[in-house]
Amino acid sequence: MGADAFATATGLPGIPVGSLVRDTATGRQGTLRDVFPYESLDARPVPGVPARPPRLLAFIRPVGGGREWTADPGDVVALR
């Protein structure tokens, strides 16, 4: 299960993409870019090793630009 690169960004309930948010786990603030089930490359099946399921992640970009980070969607709150 991979994310569709052409799918419309979804956001979170009550927090649309583009909203200013805080990641309560880190205290960092940024702009919500997308939320989708992320499948790490190391989660792909290896013979004899169970695959890890995709994990729902929120992708957040620092205000003014910079490197995005991921957060658990339950840790993301709207600031405005």
Side-chain angles (χ1 to χ4, degrees), residues 51-74:
R52 289 187 297 173
R55 178 178 171 202
L56 190 64
L57 291 176
F59 288 75
I60 304 169
R61 179 181 297 154
V63 174
R67 182 175 287 182
E68 289 184 355
W69 75 94
T70 58
D72 184 291

PDB file of all heavy atoms in Angstrom, residues 51-74:
ATOM      1  N   ALA A  51       6.289  -8.103   7.370  1.00  0.00           N
ATOM      2  CA  ALA A  51       6.290  -6.710   6.927  1.00  0.00           C
ATOM      3  C   ALA A  51       5.602  -5.834   7.966  1.00  0.00           C
ATOM      4  O   ALA A  51       4.650  -6.242   8.609  1.00  0.00           O
ATOM      5  CB  ALA A  51       5.570  -6.586   5.590  1.00  0.00           C
ATOM      6  N   ARG A  52       6.125  -4.612   8.130  1.00  0.00           N
ATOM      7  CA  ARG A  52       5.465  -3.656   9.013  1.00  0.00           C
ATOM      8  C   ARG A  52       4.333  -2.978   8.239  1.00  0.00           C
ATOM      9  O   ARG A  52       4.500  -2.649   7.061  1.00  0.00           O
ATOM     10  CB  ARG A  52       6.440  -2.591   9.493  1.00  0.00           C
ATOM     11  CG  ARG A  52       7.444  -3.150  10.477  1.00  0.00           C
ATOM     12  CD  ARG A  52       8.278  -2.062  11.064  1.00  0.00           C
ATOM     13  NE  ARG A  52       9.048  -1.411   9.999  1.00  0.00           N
ATOM     14  CZ  ARG A  52       9.782  -0.321  10.187  1.00  0.00           C
ATOM     15  NH1 ARG A  52       9.847   0.241  11.361  1.00  0.00           N
ATOM     16  NH2 ARG A  52      10.453   0.205   9.194  1.00  0.00           N
ATOM     17  N   PRO A  53       3.200  -2.745   8.891  1.00  0.00           N
ATOM     18  CA  PRO A  53       2.096  -2.083   8.183  1.00  0.00           C
ATOM     19  C   PRO A  53       2.388  -0.599   7.976  1.00  0.00           C
ATOM     20  O   PRO A  53       3.191  -0.010   8.711  1.00  0.00           O
ATOM     21  CB  PRO A  53       0.908  -2.275   9.137  1.00  0.00           C
ATOM     22  CG  PRO A  53       1.534  -2.428  10.487  1.00  0.00           C
ATOM     23  CD  PRO A  53       2.856  -3.096  10.259  1.00  0.00           C
ATOM     24  N   PRO A  54       1.749   0.019   6.986  1.00  0.00           N
ATOM     25  CA  PRO A  54       1.893   1.462   6.801  1.00  0.00           C
ATOM     26  C   PRO A  54       1.448   2.199   8.064  1.00  0.00           C
ATOM     27  O   PRO A  54       0.582   1.741   8.797  1.00  0.00           O
ATOM     28  CB  PRO A  54       0.962   1.787   5.635  1.00  0.00           C
ATOM     29  CG  PRO A  54       0.781   0.499   4.928  1.00  0.00           C
ATOM     30  CD  PRO A  54       0.865  -0.568   5.981  1.00  0.00           C
ATOM     31  N   ARG A  55       2.049   3.353   8.312  1.00  0.00           N
ATOM     32  CA  ARG A  55       1.756   4.157   9.502  1.00  0.00           C
ATOM     33  C   ARG A  55       1.226   5.516   9.056  1.00  0.00           C
ATOM     34  O   ARG A  55       1.828   6.179   8.207  1.00  0.00           O
ATOM     35  CB  ARG A  55       3.046   4.331  10.292  1.00  0.00           C
ATOM     36  CG  ARG A  55       2.912   5.157  11.505  1.00  0.00           C
ATOM     37  CD  ARG A  55       4.228   5.220  12.238  1.00  0.00           C
ATOM     38  NE  ARG A  55       4.123   6.207  13.297  1.00  0.00           N
ATOM     39  CZ  ARG A  55       5.138   6.809  13.847  1.00  0.00           C
ATOM     40  NH1 ARG A  55       6.359   6.524  13.461  1.00  0.00           N
ATOM     41  NH2 ARG A  55       4.955   7.696  14.790  1.00  0.00           N
ATOM     42  N   LEU A  56       0.107   5.938   9.630  1.00  0.00           N
ATOM     43  CA  LEU A  56      -0.463   7.239   9.299  1.00  0.00           C
ATOM     44  C   LEU A  56       0.425   8.333   9.885  1.00  0.00           C
ATOM     45  O   LEU A  56       0.703   8.339  11.089  1.00  0.00           O
ATOM     46  CB  LEU A  56      -1.890   7.353   9.849  1.00  0.00           C
ATOM     47  CG  LEU A  56      -2.682   8.556   9.372  1.00  0.00           C
ATOM     48  CD1 LEU A  56      -2.922   8.481   7.861  1.00  0.00           C
ATOM     49  CD2 LEU A  56      -4.014   8.633  10.093  1.00  0.00           C
ATOM     50  N   LEU A  57       0.886   9.243   9.034  1.00  0.00           N
ATOM     51  CA  LEU A  57       1.763  10.329   9.472  1.00  0.00           C
ATOM     52  C   LEU A  57       1.278  11.668   8.934  1.00  0.00           C
ATOM     53  O   LEU A  57       0.750  11.744   7.820  1.00  0.00           O
ATOM     54  CB  LEU A  57       3.194  10.107   8.966  1.00  0.00           C
ATOM     55  CG  LEU A  57       3.970   8.954   9.584  1.00  0.00           C
ATOM     56  CD1 LEU A  57       5.325   8.813   8.896  1.00  0.00           C
ATOM     57  CD2 LEU A  57       4.152   9.155  11.076  1.00  0.00           C
ATOM     58  N   ALA A  58       1.490  12.715   9.721  1.00  0.00           N
ATOM     59  CA  ALA A  58       1.248  14.088   9.282  1.00  0.00           C
ATOM     60  C   ALA A  58       2.594  14.661   8.850  1.00  0.00           C
ATOM     61  O   ALA A  58       3.600  14.491   9.541  1.00  0.00           O
ATOM     62  CB  ALA A  58       0.667  14.914  10.429  1.00  0.00           C
ATOM     63  N   PHE A  59       2.615  15.326   7.704  1.00  0.00           N
ATOM     64  CA  PHE A  59       3.827  15.952   7.188  1.00  0.00           C
ATOM     65  C   PHE A  59       3.701  17.453   7.406  1.00  0.00           C
ATOM     66  O   PHE A  59       2.730  18.077   6.981  1.00  0.00           O
ATOM     67  CB  PHE A  59       3.997  15.626   5.704  1.00  0.00           C
ATOM     68  CG  PHE A  59       4.384  14.193   5.480  1.00  0.00           C
ATOM     69  CD1 PHE A  59       3.448  13.179   5.613  1.00  0.00           C
ATOM     70  CD2 PHE A  59       5.685  13.865   5.168  1.00  0.00           C
ATOM     71  CE1 PHE A  59       3.805  11.847   5.430  1.00  0.00           C
ATOM     72  CE2 PHE A  59       6.058  12.537   4.983  1.00  0.00           C
ATOM     73  CZ  PHE A  59       5.117  11.526   5.113  1.00  0.00           C
ATOM     74  N   ILE A  60       4.684  18.036   8.089  1.00  0.00           N
ATOM     75  CA  ILE A  60       4.640  19.443   8.496  1.00  0.00           C
ATOM     76  C   ILE A  60       5.897  20.142   8.003  1.00  0.00           C
ATOM     77  O   ILE A  60       7.001  19.612   8.124  1.00  0.00           O
ATOM     78  CB  ILE A  60       4.536  19.555  10.032  1.00  0.00           C
ATOM     79  CG1 ILE A  60       3.320  18.768  10.526  1.00  0.00           C
ATOM     80  CG2 ILE A  60       4.456  21.011  10.461  1.00  0.00           C
ATOM     81  CD1 ILE A  60       3.270  18.597  12.038  1.00  0.00           C
ATOM     82  N   ARG A  61       5.726  21.346   7.453  1.00  0.00           N
ATOM     83  CA  ARG A  61       6.852  22.152   6.975  1.00  0.00           C
ATOM     84  C   ARG A  61       7.007  23.370   7.880  1.00  0.00           C
ATOM     85  O   ARG A  61       6.023  24.038   8.193  1.00  0.00           O
ATOM     86  CB  ARG A  61       6.610  22.610   5.544  1.00  0.00           C
ATOM     87  CG  ARG A  61       7.759  23.479   5.018  1.00  0.00           C
ATOM     88  CD  ARG A  61       7.537  23.961   3.619  1.00  0.00           C
ATOM     89  NE  ARG A  61       7.486  22.807   2.729  1.00  0.00           N
ATOM     90  CZ  ARG A  61       6.848  22.798   1.575  1.00  0.00           C
ATOM     91  NH1 ARG A  61       6.178  23.859   1.174  1.00  0.00           N
ATOM     92  NH2 ARG A  61       6.865  21.731   0.815  1.00  0.00           N
ATOM     93  N   PRO A  62       8.244  23.709   8.271  1.00  0.00           N
ATOM     94  CA  PRO A  62       8.448  24.906   9.087  1.00  0.00           C
ATOM     95  C   PRO A  62       7.948  26.159   8.369  1.00  0.00           C
ATOM     96  O   PRO A  62       8.060  26.256   7.144  1.00  0.00           O
ATOM     97  CB  PRO A  62       9.964  24.977   9.270  1.00  0.00           C
ATOM     98  CG  PRO A  62      10.472  23.619   8.946  1.00  0.00           C
ATOM     99  CD  PRO A  62       9.496  23.017   7.978  1.00  0.00           C
ATOM    100  N   VAL A  63       7.421  27.106   9.125  1.00  0.00           N
ATOM    101  CA  VAL A  63       6.988  28.381   8.547  1.00  0.00           C
ATOM    102  C   VAL A  63       8.213  29.053   7.940  1.00  0.00           C
ATOM    103  O   VAL A  63       9.279  29.090   8.546  1.00  0.00           O
ATOM    104  CB  VAL A  63       6.349  29.280   9.629  1.00  0.00           C
ATOM    105  CG1 VAL A  63       6.040  30.655   9.064  1.00  0.00           C
ATOM    106  CG2 VAL A  63       5.099  28.630  10.177  1.00  0.00           C
ATOM    107  N   GLY A  64       8.098  29.538   6.730  1.00  0.00           N
ATOM    108  CA  GLY A  64       9.215  30.185   6.050  1.00  0.00           C
ATOM    109  C   GLY A  64      10.075  29.217   5.258  1.00  0.00           C
ATOM    110  O   GLY A  64      11.040  29.611   4.630  1.00  0.00           O
ATOM    111  N   GLY A  65       9.735  27.921   5.310  1.00  0.00           N
ATOM    112  CA  GLY A  65      10.487  26.931   4.542  1.00  0.00           C
ATOM    113  C   GLY A  65      11.438  26.132   5.412  1.00  0.00           C
ATOM    114  O   GLY A  65      11.619  26.408   6.584  1.00  0.00           O
ATOM    115  N   GLY A  66      12.027  25.154   4.812  1.00  0.00           N
ATOM    116  CA  GLY A  66      12.946  24.285   5.544  1.00  0.00           C
ATOM    117  C   GLY A  66      12.564  22.831   5.356  1.00  0.00           C
ATOM    118  O   GLY A  66      11.716  22.493   4.537  1.00  0.00           O
ATOM    119  N   ARG A  67      13.186  21.980   6.131  1.00  0.00           N
ATOM    120  CA  ARG A  67      12.973  20.545   5.998  1.00  0.00           C
ATOM    121  C   ARG A  67      11.699  20.114   6.723  1.00  0.00           C
ATOM    122  O   ARG A  67      11.524  20.402   7.906  1.00  0.00           O
ATOM    123  CB  ARG A  67      14.167  19.796   6.577  1.00  0.00           C
ATOM    124  CG  ARG A  67      14.037  18.291   6.427  1.00  0.00           C
ATOM    125  CD  ARG A  67      15.255  17.593   6.894  1.00  0.00           C
ATOM    126  NE  ARG A  67      16.310  17.811   5.897  1.00  0.00           N
ATOM    127  CZ  ARG A  67      17.507  17.293   5.985  1.00  0.00           C
ATOM    128  NH1 ARG A  67      17.829  16.555   7.008  1.00  0.00           N
ATOM    129  NH2 ARG A  67      18.395  17.531   5.042  1.00  0.00           N
ATOM    130  N   GLU A  68      10.837  19.423   5.987  1.00  0.00           N
ATOM    131  CA  GLU A  68       9.614  18.888   6.592  1.00  0.00           C
ATOM    132  C   GLU A  68       9.959  17.838   7.625  1.00  0.00           C
ATOM    133  O   GLU A  68      11.015  17.208   7.556  1.00  0.00           O
ATOM    134  CB  GLU A  68       8.725  18.246   5.532  1.00  0.00           C
ATOM    135  CG  GLU A  68       8.067  19.208   4.598  1.00  0.00           C
ATOM    136  CD  GLU A  68       7.111  18.526   3.630  1.00  0.00           C
ATOM    137  OE1 GLU A  68       7.025  17.282   3.622  1.00  0.00           O
ATOM    138  OE2 GLU A  68       6.445  19.246   2.875  1.00  0.00           O
ATOM    139  N   TRP A  69       9.050  17.642   8.571  1.00  0.00           N
ATOM    140  CA  TRP A  69       9.168  16.542   9.503  1.00  0.00           C
ATOM    141  C   TRP A  69       7.826  15.846   9.586  1.00  0.00           C
ATOM    142  O   TRP A  69       6.825  16.366   9.098  1.00  0.00           O
ATOM    143  CB  TRP A  69       9.655  17.011  10.876  1.00  0.00           C
ATOM    144  CG  TRP A  69       8.658  17.721  11.728  1.00  0.00           C
ATOM    145  CD1 TRP A  69       7.853  17.167  12.694  1.00  0.00           C
ATOM    146  CD2 TRP A  69       8.353  19.116  11.734  1.00  0.00           C
ATOM    147  NE1 TRP A  69       7.076  18.130  13.282  1.00  0.00           N
ATOM    148  CE2 TRP A  69       7.359  19.344  12.711  1.00  0.00           C
ATOM    149  CE3 TRP A  69       8.808  20.215  10.991  1.00  0.00           C
ATOM    150  CZ2 TRP A  69       6.824  20.600  12.977  1.00  0.00           C
ATOM    151  CZ3 TRP A  69       8.276  21.456  11.257  1.00  0.00           C
ATOM    152  CH2 TRP A  69       7.305  21.640  12.227  1.00  0.00           C
ATOM    153  N   THR A  70       7.832  14.660  10.147  1.00  0.00           N
ATOM    154  CA  THR A  70       6.589  13.906  10.302  1.00  0.00           C
ATOM    155  C   THR A  70       6.192  13.876  11.757  1.00  0.00           C
ATOM    156  O   THR A  70       7.039  13.963  12.655  1.00  0.00           O
ATOM    157  CB  THR A  70       6.736  12.465   9.777  1.00  0.00           C
ATOM    158  OG1 THR A  70       7.788  11.810  10.470  1.00  0.00           O
ATOM    159  CG2 THR A  70       7.001  12.454   8.283  1.00  0.00           C
ATOM    160  N   ALA A  71       4.895  13.749  11.977  1.00  0.00           N
ATOM    161  CA  ALA A  71       4.359  13.687  13.332  1.00  0.00           C
ATOM    162  C   ALA A  71       3.184  12.721  13.357  1.00  0.00           C
ATOM    163  O   ALA A  71       2.515  12.498  12.341  1.00  0.00           O
ATOM    164  CB  ALA A  71       3.893  15.065  13.783  1.00  0.00           C
ATOM    165  N   ASP A  72       2.941  12.162  14.510  1.00  0.00           N
ATOM    166  CA  ASP A  72       1.732  11.359  14.711  1.00  0.00           C
ATOM    167  C   ASP A  72       0.539  12.315  14.601  1.00  0.00           C
ATOM    168  O   ASP A  72       0.545  13.385  15.233  1.00  0.00           O
ATOM    169  CB  ASP A  72       1.789  10.720  16.097  1.00  0.00           C
ATOM    170  CG  ASP A  72       0.621   9.802  16.335  1.00  0.00           C
ATOM    171  OD1 ASP A  72      -0.520  10.320  16.450  1.00  0.00           O
ATOM    172  OD2 ASP A  72       0.822   8.594  16.430  1.00  0.00           O
ATOM    173  N   PRO A  73      -0.457  12.001  13.797  1.00  0.00           N
ATOM    174  CA  PRO A  73      -1.597  12.908  13.642  1.00  0.00           C
ATOM    175  C   PRO A  73      -2.283  13.268  14.968  1.00  0.00           C
ATOM    176  O   PRO A  73      -2.813  14.367  15.108  1.00  0.00           O
ATOM    177  CB  PRO A  73      -2.555  12.127  12.732  1.00  0.00           C
ATOM    178  CG  PRO A  73      -1.662  11.235  11.950  1.00  0.00           C
ATOM    179  CD  PRO A  73      -0.566  10.837  12.908  1.00  0.00           C
ATOM    180  N   GLY A  74      -2.224  12.402  15.954  1.00  0.00           N
ATOM    181  CA  GLY A  74      -2.806  12.708  17.255  1.00  0.00           C
ATOM    182  C   GLY A  74      -2.053  13.774  18.027  1.00  0.00           C
ATOM    183  O   GLY A  74      -2.578  14.327  18.995  1.00  0.00           O
TER     184      GLY A  74
END
